[in-house]
Amino acid sequence: MLIPSVGSDLPILLDKEKIATRITEMATAISRDYQGRTPHLVGVLKGAWVFMADLIREISIHCTVDFLSIQSYGSGTVSSGEVKITKDLDVSIERRDVLVVEDILDTGRTYSYLQEVLGAHDPASLKLAALLDKHTRRILPVEADYVGFEIPDVFVVGYGLDFDQKYRNLADVRYIPGPQTLPLFGPRA
Ligand code: IMP
Ligand code: MG
């Protein structure tokens, strides 16, 4: 019996081939920019893990990896901007070339917070690779150093990104159509 895949009813924003091609380009740029160094990739859980897994396999220089977990708080539909680390790094980033890996840069609150917290541990450098960039929603003045795709202000799921912890397993990036559905999403983490 053929079981329809969950999420297959949602419109595709970026298909898996397009994502793979762009990730190869990003990894090539990273390998070139960090040549002679060993970047330390810090993935922000949970959204970034699928992207991180594909990205590192296209990087052609030595690199090391670690993960941290973040929770952002808010009441109702509005994120308060309060962010907290719920799983810290395993190893020191002192004098390391840290490359934070994020699924999506939205208001910029998460990365702004991470810049402050990670920056206090004296990394040799601190940069950001984000698969997606919802530039029009930015509240704080942060930019990613490597961006996969700039996307419009739609709520996206799949390829690691969730709605209510679901849809992370979709191979493509899809979106939930209609601005009227946005208030249902609540705080984003
Ligand atoms: P920022 O702190 O507003 O930049 O938010 C970044 C985080 O919000 C991301 O790491 C995601 O976890 C989450 N987020 C923002 N937009 C979306 C979306 O469209 N779909 C799923 N998660 C999102
Ligand atoms: Mg996230």
Side-chain angles (χ1 to χ4, degrees):
M1 199 178 85
L2 197 63
I3 305 168
S5 301
V6 288
S8 57
D9 52 327
L10 298 175
I12 293 179
L13 186 66
L14 303 163
D15 66 39
K16 58 185 177 190
E17 290 80 16
K18 200 168 175 182
I19 297 168
T21 302
R22 185 68 190 120
I23 287 177
T24 302
E25 290 170 358
M26 293 176 84
T28 302
I30 290 166
S31 305
R32 185 193 57 221
D33 294 351
Y34 286 89
Q35 195 160 23
R37 294 181 286 162
T38 301
H40 187 56
L41 276 63
V42 172
V44 183
L45 294 172
K46 308 184 188 59
W49 121 86
V50 177
F51 169 43
M52 177 114 151
D54 283 345
L55 183 69
I56 59 162
R57 283 177 290 173
E58 297 296 327
I59 290 178
S60 57
I61 57 170
H62 279 302
C63 62
T64 54
V65 299
D66 203 350
F67 292 93
L68 55 75
S69 205
I70 286 262
Q71 202 174 323
S72 56
Y73 292 96
S75 54
T77 61
V78 189
S79 165
S80 66
E82 222 179 289
V83 188
K84 185 179 110 168
I85 291 183
T86 54
K87 182 227 169 286
D88 210 339
L89 297 173
D90 288 338
V91 295
S92 167
I93 56 168
E94 206 180 323
R95 293 188 303 275
R96 296 299 309 273
D97 289 300
V98 174
L99 180 60
V100 175
V101 179
E102 263 277 35
D103 50 359
I104 185 166
L105 190 54
D106 186 26
T107 63
R109 281 173 173 143
T110 306
Y111 186 58
S112 179
Y113 168 78
L114 285 178
Q115 270 184 325
E116 203 177 301
V117 171
L118 299 179
H121 288 88
D122 290 322
S125 64
L126 182 59
K127 289 190 173 186
L128 172 65
L131 178 66
L132 308 174
D133 185 359
K134 260 194 227 176
H135 207 265
T136 55
R137 283 192 31 101
R138 200 79 87 250
I139 288 171
L140 295 176
V142 292
E143 298 294 336
D145 301 277
Y146 303 92
V147 176
F149 302 94
E150 198 171 305
I151 63 163
D153 182 12
V154 289
F155 196 87
V156 287
V157 295
Y159 199 74
L161 292 120
D162 74 302
F163 166 54
D164 200 18
Q165 298 301 324
K166 300 191 187 82
Y167 298 109
R168 294 193 197 275
N169 55 321
L170 311 187
D172 310 294
V173 171
R174 294 174 182 262
Y175 65 98
I176 314 236
Q180 71 281 5
T181 59
L182 282 170
L184 299 172
F185 294 127
R188 298 163 181 191

